[in-house]
Amino acid sequence: ANVKTVNGYLNQLNHYSDKTIYNFSQMASAIGKFTAAGVSLPDATNAIRGMANSAALSGASVEQLNSAMYQMSQALAAGTIHLMDWNSLVNANMGGQNMQKSLEATAMTMADGGKAMTDATTAAGNFRDSLQAGWLSADIFNKTMKVMGGQTDKAGNIVAYTTEQLQKMGYSKEAAKRLHELS
């Protein structure tokens, strides 16, 4: 990307960091980790905002968030989030039911309609063990973090996606309502 594009994304994170306990230097460091791992700049920005919101929702500390961001940047570069990566979210106090249900709802919006997730969960008996089947792709995680990170409105504020927007993204009415409330 060119300098103007990079500065635009950094400005988004700087504006966002002013509204959280997570400072801009930590977010700039995280975006460096994500992009160095091969994650695109837009996906990295969404992941950072979404993970910061998820951390705030779960009460994770800055240190826990930084640890989780490092692990997730590596997992996203590999293309799949496995049990070991999920455990880093759990250890960072971010792998609770809210995150799990959000990822499952996003899996249902993918091309296979959530079949890979459903089959893996049925075979494994639970969410954690189902991750060994590799159904939790970088695409599912990135889309979930995009939703959790919100969008920038015309005034430059970060706001949640509406339930209507989420339904257009493929979420069921119930999932859209829940994700809107969470984000």
Short mmCIF file of all heavy atoms in Angstrom, two decimals, residues 97-133:
data_model
loop_
_atom_site.label_atom_id
_atom_site.label_comp_id
_atom_site.label_asym_id
_atom_site.label_seq_id
_atom_site.Cartn_x
_atom_site.Cartn_y
_atom_site.Cartn_z
N GLN A 97 -18.28 -17.30 25.59
CA GLN A 97 -19.47 -17.61 24.80
C GLN A 97 -19.78 -16.54 23.76
O GLN A 97 -20.24 -16.86 22.66
CB GLN A 97 -20.67 -17.81 25.72
CG GLN A 97 -20.63 -19.09 26.51
CD GLN A 97 -20.77 -20.30 25.61
OE1 GLN A 97 -21.64 -20.36 24.75
NE2 GLN A 97 -19.88 -21.27 25.78
N ASN A 98 -19.56 -15.26 24.10
CA ASN A 98 -19.83 -14.20 23.12
C ASN A 98 -19.01 -14.39 21.86
O ASN A 98 -19.54 -14.32 20.75
CB ASN A 98 -19.56 -12.82 23.71
CG ASN A 98 -20.63 -12.39 24.68
OD1 ASN A 98 -21.80 -12.73 24.53
ND2 ASN A 98 -20.23 -11.64 25.70
N MET A 99 -17.72 -14.64 22.01
CA MET A 99 -16.84 -14.83 20.86
C MET A 99 -17.23 -16.11 20.12
O MET A 99 -17.34 -16.13 18.90
CB MET A 99 -15.38 -14.89 21.30
CG MET A 99 -14.41 -15.14 20.17
SD MET A 99 -14.19 -13.77 19.05
CE MET A 99 -13.04 -12.77 19.97
N GLN A 100 -17.44 -17.17 20.86
CA GLN A 100 -17.79 -18.46 20.25
C GLN A 100 -19.06 -18.35 19.43
O GLN A 100 -19.10 -18.76 18.28
CB GLN A 100 -17.95 -19.51 21.35
CG GLN A 100 -18.33 -20.88 20.84
CD GLN A 100 -18.51 -21.89 21.95
OE1 GLN A 100 -17.85 -21.81 22.98
NE2 GLN A 100 -19.41 -22.82 21.76
N LYS A 101 -20.11 -17.79 20.00
CA LYS A 101 -21.40 -17.67 19.30
C LYS A 101 -21.28 -16.74 18.09
O LYS A 101 -21.92 -16.97 17.07
CB LYS A 101 -22.50 -17.18 20.25
CG LYS A 101 -22.81 -18.15 21.37
CD LYS A 101 -23.36 -19.46 20.84
CE LYS A 101 -23.69 -20.42 21.94
NZ LYS A 101 -23.87 -21.78 21.49
N SER A 102 -20.46 -15.71 18.20
CA SER A 102 -20.26 -14.79 17.07
C SER A 102 -19.57 -15.49 15.92
O SER A 102 -19.95 -15.33 14.75
CB SER A 102 -19.45 -13.58 17.52
OG SER A 102 -20.12 -12.87 18.53
N LEU A 103 -18.56 -16.29 16.22
CA LEU A 103 -17.85 -17.03 15.18
C LEU A 103 -18.77 -18.07 14.53
O LEU A 103 -18.76 -18.25 13.31
CB LEU A 103 -16.60 -17.70 15.75
CG LEU A 103 -15.50 -16.75 16.19
CD1 LEU A 103 -14.47 -17.47 17.06
CD2 LEU A 103 -14.84 -16.09 15.00
N GLU A 104 -19.57 -18.74 15.35
CA GLU A 104 -20.51 -19.72 14.81
C GLU A 104 -21.55 -19.05 13.90
O GLU A 104 -21.88 -19.58 12.83
CB GLU A 104 -21.21 -20.47 15.95
CG GLU A 104 -20.30 -21.41 16.70
CD GLU A 104 -20.93 -22.00 17.95
OE1 GLU A 104 -21.88 -21.41 18.51
OE2 GLU A 104 -20.44 -23.06 18.39
N ALA A 105 -22.04 -17.88 14.32
CA ALA A 105 -23.02 -17.17 13.49
C ALA A 105 -22.39 -16.76 12.16
O ALA A 105 -23.04 -16.85 11.11
CB ALA A 105 -23.54 -15.94 14.24
N THR A 106 -21.14 -16.35 12.19
CA THR A 106 -20.46 -15.98 10.96
C THR A 106 -20.25 -17.19 10.08
O THR A 106 -20.41 -17.12 8.85
CB THR A 106 -19.13 -15.28 11.26
OG1 THR A 106 -19.39 -14.11 12.05
CG2 THR A 106 -18.42 -14.86 9.98
N ALA A 107 -19.89 -18.32 10.67
CA ALA A 107 -19.69 -19.54 9.88
C ALA A 107 -20.95 -19.87 9.08
O ALA A 107 -20.87 -20.35 7.95
CB ALA A 107 -19.30 -20.71 10.78
N MET A 108 -22.10 -19.58 9.65
CA MET A 108 -23.37 -19.87 8.98
C MET A 108 -23.58 -18.98 7.75
O MET A 108 -24.40 -19.30 6.90
CB MET A 108 -24.55 -19.70 9.95
CG MET A 108 -24.47 -20.64 11.16
SD MET A 108 -24.45 -22.38 10.74
CE MET A 108 -26.15 -22.62 10.31
N THR A 109 -22.84 -17.87 7.65
CA THR A 109 -22.99 -16.96 6.51
C THR A 109 -22.05 -17.30 5.36
O THR A 109 -22.14 -16.70 4.29
CB THR A 109 -22.71 -15.50 6.91
OG1 THR A 109 -21.31 -15.32 7.16
CG2 THR A 109 -23.53 -15.07 8.11
N MET A 110 -21.18 -18.26 5.55
CA MET A 110 -20.19 -18.58 4.54
C MET A 110 -20.80 -19.43 3.43
O MET A 110 -21.93 -19.90 3.54
CB MET A 110 -18.98 -19.27 5.18
CG MET A 110 -18.33 -18.45 6.31
SD MET A 110 -18.01 -16.73 5.94
CE MET A 110 -16.42 -16.84 5.16
N ALA A 111 -20.04 -19.64 2.37
CA ALA A 111 -20.54 -20.33 1.17
C ALA A 111 -21.14 -21.70 1.47
O ALA A 111 -22.11 -22.10 0.84
CB ALA A 111 -19.43 -20.46 0.14
N ASP A 112 -20.58 -22.41 2.45
CA ASP A 112 -21.10 -23.75 2.75
C ASP A 112 -22.25 -23.73 3.75
O ASP A 112 -22.74 -24.77 4.16
CB ASP A 112 -19.98 -24.67 3.25
CG ASP A 112 -19.53 -24.38 4.67
OD1 ASP A 112 -19.86 -23.29 5.21
OD2 ASP A 112 -18.84 -25.23 5.26
N GLY A 113 -22.70 -22.52 4.13
CA GLY A 113 -23.83 -22.40 5.06
C GLY A 113 -23.55 -22.93 6.45
O GLY A 113 -24.46 -23.24 7.19
N GLY A 114 -22.28 -23.03 6.81
CA GLY A 114 -21.89 -23.50 8.13
C GLY A 114 -21.75 -25.01 8.23
O GLY A 114 -21.57 -25.55 9.32
N LYS A 115 -21.81 -25.70 7.10
CA LYS A 115 -21.74 -27.17 7.11
C LYS A 115 -20.44 -27.68 7.73
O LYS A 115 -20.47 -28.61 8.54
CB LYS A 115 -21.90 -27.72 5.70
CG LYS A 115 -21.91 -29.25 5.65
CD LYS A 115 -22.20 -29.77 4.27
CE LYS A 115 -22.21 -31.26 4.12
NZ LYS A 115 -21.91 -32.12 5.18
N ALA A 116 -19.31 -27.07 7.38
CA ALA A 116 -18.03 -27.53 7.93
C ALA A 116 -18.02 -27.39 9.45
O ALA A 116 -17.59 -28.30 10.16
CB ALA A 116 -16.87 -26.75 7.32
N MET A 117 -18.54 -26.27 9.95
CA MET A 117 -18.59 -26.06 11.40
C MET A 117 -19.55 -27.05 12.05
O MET A 117 -19.21 -27.68 13.05
CB MET A 117 -19.04 -24.64 11.72
CG MET A 117 -19.14 -24.39 13.21
SD MET A 117 -20.50 -23.36 13.82
CE MET A 117 -21.86 -23.58 12.78
N THR A 118 -20.73 -27.20 11.48
CA THR A 118 -21.73 -28.10 12.04
C THR A 118 -21.23 -29.54 12.06
O THR A 118 -21.35 -30.24 13.08
CB THR A 118 -23.04 -28.01 11.24
OG1 THR A 118 -23.48 -26.64 11.25
CG2 THR A 118 -24.12 -28.88 11.84
N ASP A 119 -20.65 -29.99 10.96
CA ASP A 119 -20.12 -31.35 10.89
C ASP A 119 -19.00 -31.56 11.92
O ASP A 119 -18.97 -32.59 12.60
CB ASP A 119 -19.59 -31.66 9.49
CG ASP A 119 -20.69 -31.79 8.45
OD1 ASP A 119 -21.89 -31.83 8.82
OD2 ASP A 119 -20.34 -31.84 7.24
N ALA A 120 -18.10 -30.58 12.02
CA ALA A 120 -16.97 -30.71 12.96
C ALA A 120 -17.46 -30.70 14.40
O ALA A 120 -16.97 -31.47 15.23
CB ALA A 120 -15.97 -29.58 12.73
N THR A 121 -18.42 -29.84 14.70
CA THR A 121 -18.94 -29.77 16.07
C THR A 121 -19.70 -31.03 16.43
O THR A 121 -19.58 -31.55 17.55
CB THR A 121 -19.82 -28.51 16.24
OG1 THR A 121 -19.06 -27.36 15.88
CG2 THR A 121 -20.30 -28.35 17.67
N THR A 122 -20.47 -31.55 15.50
CA THR A 122 -21.21 -32.80 15.74
C THR A 122 -20.24 -33.95 15.98
O THR A 122 -20.41 -34.73 16.93
CB THR A 122 -22.13 -33.11 14.55
OG1 THR A 122 -23.06 -32.03 14.39
CG2 THR A 122 -22.90 -34.41 14.77
N ALA A 123 -19.21 -34.04 15.15
CA ALA A 123 -18.23 -35.14 15.29
C ALA A 123 -17.43 -35.01 16.57
O ALA A 123 -17.16 -36.02 17.25
CB ALA A 123 -17.29 -35.16 14.08
N ALA A 124 -17.04 -33.79 16.93
CA ALA A 124 -16.19 -33.58 18.11
C ALA A 124 -17.00 -33.53 19.40
O ALA A 124 -16.47 -33.82 20.48
CB ALA A 124 -15.39 -32.29 17.96
N GLY A 125 -18.24 -33.11 19.32
CA GLY A 125 -19.08 -33.02 20.51
C GLY A 125 -19.07 -31.66 21.18
O GLY A 125 -19.90 -31.40 22.04
N ASN A 126 -18.13 -30.79 20.81
CA ASN A 126 -18.11 -29.45 21.40
C ASN A 126 -17.30 -28.49 20.52
O ASN A 126 -16.56 -28.92 19.62
CB ASN A 126 -17.56 -29.47 22.83
CG ASN A 126 -16.14 -29.97 22.91
OD1 ASN A 126 -15.23 -29.41 22.30
ND2 ASN A 126 -15.94 -31.06 23.64
N PHE A 127 -17.45 -27.22 20.79
CA PHE A 127 -16.79 -26.18 19.99
C PHE A 127 -15.27 -26.33 20.02
O PHE A 127 -14.63 -26.34 18.97
CB PHE A 127 -17.20 -24.79 20.53
CG PHE A 127 -16.52 -23.65 19.83
CD1 PHE A 127 -17.05 -23.13 18.66
CD2 PHE A 127 -15.36 -23.10 20.34
CE1 PHE A 127 -16.43 -22.07 18.01
CE2 PHE A 127 -14.72 -22.04 19.69
CZ PHE A 127 -15.26 -21.53 18.52
N ARG A 128 -14.70 -26.42 21.22
CA ARG A 128 -13.24 -26.48 21.35
C ARG A 128 -12.62 -27.59 20.51
O ARG A 128 -11.71 -27.36 19.73
CB ARG A 128 -12.83 -26.67 22.82
CG ARG A 128 -13.00 -25.48 23.71
CD ARG A 128 -12.64 -25.81 25.15
NE ARG A 128 -11.35 -26.48 25.30
CZ ARG A 128 -10.17 -25.87 25.31
NH1 ARG A 128 -10.10 -24.59 25.18
NH2 ARG A 128 -9.06 -26.56 25.47
N ASP A 129 -13.11 -28.78 20.68
CA ASP A 129 -12.54 -29.92 19.96
C ASP A 129 -12.83 -29.86 18.46
O ASP A 129 -12.06 -30.40 17.66
CB ASP A 129 -13.05 -31.23 20.55
CG ASP A 129 -12.52 -31.47 21.97
OD1 ASP A 129 -11.46 -30.90 22.31
OD2 ASP A 129 -13.18 -32.20 22.73
N SER A 130 -13.91 -29.19 18.09
CA SER A 130 -14.23 -29.07 16.66
C SER A 130 -13.18 -28.26 15.90
O SER A 130 -13.03 -28.43 14.69
CB SER A 130 -15.61 -28.44 16.47
OG SER A 130 -15.57 -27.03 16.69
N LEU A 131 -12.45 -27.42 16.59
CA LEU A 131 -11.44 -26.58 15.94
C LEU A 131 -10.31 -27.41 15.33
O LEU A 131 -9.64 -26.95 14.41
CB LEU A 131 -10.88 -25.55 16.92
CG LEU A 131 -11.91 -24.52 17.42
CD1 LEU A 131 -11.29 -23.63 18.48
CD2 LEU A 131 -12.50 -23.72 16.29
N GLN A 132 -10.12 -28.60 15.83
CA GLN A 132 -9.08 -29.47 15.29
C GLN A 132 -9.38 -29.86 13.84
O GLN A 132 -8.47 -30.22 13.10
CB GLN A 132 -8.89 -30.69 16.18
CG GLN A 132 -8.36 -30.32 17.55
CD GLN A 132 -8.27 -31.48 18.50
OE1 GLN A 132 -8.60 -32.61 18.17
NE2 GLN A 132 -7.79 -31.21 19.70
N ALA A 133 -10.64 -29.76 13.43
CA ALA A 133 -11.01 -30.10 12.06
C ALA A 133 -10.67 -28.98 11.08
O ALA A 133 -10.74 -29.17 9.87
CB ALA A 133 -12.51 -30.42 11.98
#
